[in-house]
């Protein structure tokens, strides 16, 4: 039993699987972005090279930093993402869930942002602090819409808050994206994910041109490697979450494998296209966008779902 | 360290300092990073923070005022770090060699690993220099 739990946590849906798949999908992101700019793009194992290179470099712990927080934040963020990946992966691949696992995932995604804020503000660098502040504002902006997006599958499946029961509902009644409320929630969901992952147009906290990587500016060596890995792991976690909530999960038999891969890659490619065709927006525009347009839209989706549409 | 050096050779992140050049070398460096030359296919990436860098590109004659700052930036970088000097300015002073505020010996400010001559060097010759650096790293 214990061995099985450890296996899930460290190998299959958890750390190793998500990490490796995340680095590969990160390559897809860089390659497609390169095609957008008429370039060739990096080789397949580029992200692995980057990761191992960073592991071997010197770690500088900044003099002005709060040392414990500075060191713990990236590792805790990594642990949090591993946990989310395990919970989502168990539901997707083994049909296993526990009461309230949805709420756990909601809380943990928020915890990740909190870790970014802690890590950024612990360095004592001005740019990092501004980046951490912006991350906080972005969290305030997208959190409401993100939770409303979760509500639609909950309502649709007859008020189930367990991933495996939502999957079971979708197996009987068809994927939730097939209904109008499902489509609305899915679109808002993709936008929220874009903000959660701080991809363009919401890469406001990182803002390479003015904040030089924001919260991660003072990190070097292995600690930076973990931040990079965290970022690429989210390329696995959030699309999986959307597949789970709206597209009816994966079917790993026969032709279903191709279909599953298409679902996942489709979501990732949509994210990359949004990333490459939009410039960065200001933080107030982001707040406006989420509070004035995205959240009400998601709310309409929830009302539609309650009405049974 | 052979395995690690190979990883390092495939992922060089570059940080760019301009130490009082005439600014032409910096423009050529920016040219190098445009889609036309696409150095990302060699794993080279421009980073904004010195803490993430593996290669330091320096240009210019290092005047008295900027030399201490260049030294400070070099000390802030995580090791191993390679310094590539772009332009004749760094190696010989070029047209500023009699300037009153230049630093006499630039290699005493920071240890320079590689010079790319030219006023300014073409992006192709910078790529050649980087390829030589990769050759050294790959053994
Ligand atoms: S080497 Fe020539 S082009 Fe480059 S900074 Fe010096 S004077 Fe300018």
């Amino acid at each position: 039993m214990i061995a099985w739990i450890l296996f899930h946590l460290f190998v299959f849906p958890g750390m190793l699987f998500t990490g490796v798949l995340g680095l590969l999908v990160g390559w897809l992101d860089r390659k497609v972005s390169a095609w957008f700019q008429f370039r060739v793009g990096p080789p397949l194992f580029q992200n692995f090279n980057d990761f191992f290179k960073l592991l071997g470099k010197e770690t500088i712990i900044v003099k002005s930093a709060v040392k414990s927080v500075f060191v713990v934040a990236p590792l805790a963020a990594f642990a949090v993402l591993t946990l989310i990946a395990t919970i989502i992966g168990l539901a997707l691949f083994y049909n296993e869930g526990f009461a309230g696992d949805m709420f756990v995932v909601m809380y943990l995604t928020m915890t990740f942002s909190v870790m970014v804020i802690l890590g950024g503000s612990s360095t004592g660098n001005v740019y990092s602090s501004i980046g951490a502040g912006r991350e906080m504002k972005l969290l305030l902006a997208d959190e409401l819409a993100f939770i409303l997006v979760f509500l639609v599958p909950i309502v649709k499946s007859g008020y189930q808050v367990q991933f495996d029961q939502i999957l079971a509902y979708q197996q009987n009644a068809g994927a939730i994206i097939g209904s109008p409320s499902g489509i609305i929630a899915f679109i808002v969901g993709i936008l929220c994910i874009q903000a959660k992952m701080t991809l363009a147009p919401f890469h406001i906290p990182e803002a390479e041109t003015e904040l030089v990587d924001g919260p991660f500016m003072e990190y070097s060596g292995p600690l930076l490697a973990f931040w990079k890995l965290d970022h690429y792991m989210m390329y696995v976690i959030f699309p999986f979450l959307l597949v789970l909530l709206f597209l009816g999960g994966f079917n790993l038999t026969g032709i279903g494998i191709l279909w599953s891969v298409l679902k996942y890659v489709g979501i990732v490619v949509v994210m990359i296209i949004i990333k490459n065709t939009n410039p960065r927006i200001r933080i107030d525009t982001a707040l406006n966008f989420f509070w004035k347009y995205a959240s009400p839209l998601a709310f309409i989706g929830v009302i539609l779902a309650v009405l049974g549409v | 360290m052979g395995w690690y050096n190979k990883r390092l050779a495939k992922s060089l992140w570059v940080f760019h300092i301009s130490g009082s050049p005439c600014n032409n070398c910096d423009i050529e460096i920016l040219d190098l990073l445009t889609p036309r030359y696409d150095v990302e296919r060699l794993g080279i990436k421009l980073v904004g923070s010195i803490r993430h860098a593996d290669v330091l590109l320096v240009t210019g004659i290092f005047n008295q005022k900027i030399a201490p700052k260049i030294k400070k930036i070099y000390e802030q970088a995580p090791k191993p770090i390679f310094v590539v000097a772009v332009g004749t300015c760094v190696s010989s002073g070029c047209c500023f060699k009699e300037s009153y505020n230049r630093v006499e010996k630039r290699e005493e400010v920071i240890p320079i690993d590689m010079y790319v001559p030219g006023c300014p060097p073409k992006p192709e010759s910078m790529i050649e220099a980087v390829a030589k650096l990769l050759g050294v790293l790959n053994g």
Side-chain angles (χ1 to χ4, degrees), chain A residues 211-289:
Chain A
L211 290 188
V212 284
D213 253 9
F216 316 125
M217 183 184 180
E218 291 287 350
Y219 280 95
S220 60
L223 295 178
L224 181 67
F226 275 103
W227 279 128
K228 295 274 169 205
L229 185 63
D230 289 348
H231 181 73
Y232 289 125
M233 276 169 85
M234 286 198 280
Y235 270 111
V236 177
I237 290 168
F238 285 122
F240 271 17
L241 187 64
L242 282 190
V243 169
L244 178 63
L245 290 180
F246 296 103
L247 300 182
F250 291 147
N251 173 12
L252 295 177
T253 48
I255 194 76
I257 295 179
L258 183 69
W259 196 223
S260 310
V261 172
L262 273 184
K263 279 179 195 170
Y264 172 58
V265 174
I267 293 180
V268 172
V269 168
V270 168
M271 282 160 61
I272 297 171
I273 290 176
I274 297 178
K275 175 187 157 191
N276 276 297
T277 47
N278 287 287
R280 186 171 66 242
I281 54 179
R282 290 195 316 272
I283 188 75
D284 58 327
T285 328
L287 265 169
N288 257 342
F289 174 74

Side-chain angles (χ1 to χ4, degrees), chain A residues 39 49-50 53 57 218, chain B residues 4 7 11 40 51 54:
Chain A
R39 290 190 285 127
N49 290 332
D50 288 353
K53 175 207 76 179
K57 288 204 58 132
E218 291 287 350
Chain B
Y4 179 68
R7 300 280 85 67
S11 141
E40 200 188 9
R51 306 265 191 221
D54 309 297

Side-chain angles (χ1 to χ4, degrees), chain B residues 40-110:
Chain B
E40 200 188 9
R41 72 202 142 93
L42 306 174
I44 299 173
K45 196 169 96 170
L46 186 73
V47 291
S49 162
I50 182 65
R51 306 265 191 221
H52 307 175
D54 309 297
V55 176
L56 213 53
L57 287 185
V58 288
T59 56
I61 50 158
F62 299 9
N63 68 24
Q64 301 285 357
K65 215 163 181 180
I66 204 143
K69 290 180 179 127
I70 290 180
K71 193 170 165 57
K72 197 169 168 189
I73 287 180
Y74 177 79
E75 281 159 0
Q76 282 176 338
K79 311 290 172 299
I81 181 115
F82 307 100
V83 183
V84 177
V86 176
T88 318
C89 262
V90 194
S91 49
S92 75
C94 197
C95 41
F96 305 117
K97 65 175 181 295
E98 275 149 20
S99 174
Y100 66 96
N101 61 355
R102 88 210 130 100
V103 169
E104 201 71 44
K105 283 187 178 152
R106 279 154 298 271
E107 57 275 15
E108 279 173 6
V109 180
I110 51 175

